[in-house]
Amino acid sequence: MMPAARESLLDAAYAALARRPWSAVRMVDVAAAAGVSRQTLYNEFGSKDGLARALVRREADGYLAGVDRALIAHSDPGDRLTATAEWTTSMARENALVRAMLTGCWSERLPSPTPSAVAPTSAVPAQRRADGPLPSPGDFVALVRDRAVTALAGSGTPGPDTADLARSCELAVRLALSCVAAPPGDGGVADLVRSILQRQAG
């Protein structure tokens, strides 16, 4: 199947999930919305669980791609971390799957995540990857922290300041996640991240 057709099926599944609980989403409706046969859908994902894993994996990849964009969108390190924190909170607010992945709180409306990999039997490379283990909330914190450290440290040799940088990056990520559970006031997550960075720099 062409990648565009796979994306269309995942788009249809995501749209269906926005309208009804995952338990009520029917494969035949997803296939029809994407303009393909139900057999084509099963050939690509193997099962409804396979479709769910692929959908969750795509949303995770989309979140991390946004982190990478945020980390190169500014020249100032503080602005980069602030943009990353804002992206994290906005995605968690807007995307129930991203919120569940980042917090570990999966509602009954969502597909149940697979904590470990399933047997990689699919002939579709993208599905074999989707069938792999999904990062835990702690894994996501580490992934974003490490991406931020790499972006902010550049190509320089790691030195004693790298540990401080890693702590600042992890703090910004964890602060953003706390704002998902308890939304901040008018200044939003940006003011909180900047205030923490200023204190650490002082």
Side-chain angles (χ1 to χ4, degrees):
M1 176 183 288
M2 295 293 291
R6 183 180 174 87
E7 283 299 305
S8 294
L9 284 165
L10 292 172
D11 287 342
Y14 185 84
L17 179 59
R19 294 190 299 270
R20 60 183 70 93
W22 183 250
S23 60
V25 173
R26 300 193 310 159
M27 294 287 272
V28 64
D29 295 334
V30 172
V36 303
S37 69
R38 186 172 60 171
Q39 187 58 50
T40 298
L41 175 57
Y42 277 102
N43 289 346
E44 183 72 14
F45 299 102
S47 64
K48 187 177 178 182
D49 284 343
L51 174 62
R53 287 192 297 272
L55 181 59
V56 171
R57 173 67 67 178
R58 184 185 73 161
E59 299 310 301
D61 290 345
Y63 163 69
L64 291 173
V67 167
D68 291 336
R69 289 193 299 272
L71 287 168
I72 62 172
H74 304 277
S75 57
D76 179 73
D79 289 341
R80 289 182 179 189
L81 281 182
T82 299
T84 300
E86 289 181 319
W87 168 254
T88 296
T89 54
S90 67
M91 275 296 284
R93 279 196 301 265
E94 298 166 9
N95 189 314
L97 289 174
V98 171
R99 182 168 58 252
M101 284 184 281
L102 294 178
T103 63
C105 299
W106 294 82
S107 76
E108 293 181 357
R109 287 187 54 86
L110 301 177
S112 299
T114 304
S116 58
V118 300
T121 57
S122 176
V124 181
Q127 189 58 35
R128 288 201 299 271
R129 179 172 180 274
D131 287 342
L134 187 71
S136 68
D139 292 334
F140 275 109
V141 170
L143 285 167
V144 176
R145 178 200 64 211
D146 293 347
R147 277 168 155 79
V149 169
T150 299
L152 300 182
S155 58
T157 304
D161 293 338
T162 304
D164 290 338
L165 176 61
R167 279 192 292 272
S168 295
C169 293
E170 180 161 342
L171 185 58
V173 177
R174 292 189 179 279
L175 191 58
L177 292 180
S178 74
C179 291
V180 172
D186 294 339
V189 67
D191 282 356
L192 294 174
V193 171
R194 289 193 186 102
S195 65
I196 290 296
L197 294 175
Q198 287 169 358
R199 288 182 184 180
Q200 288 196 319

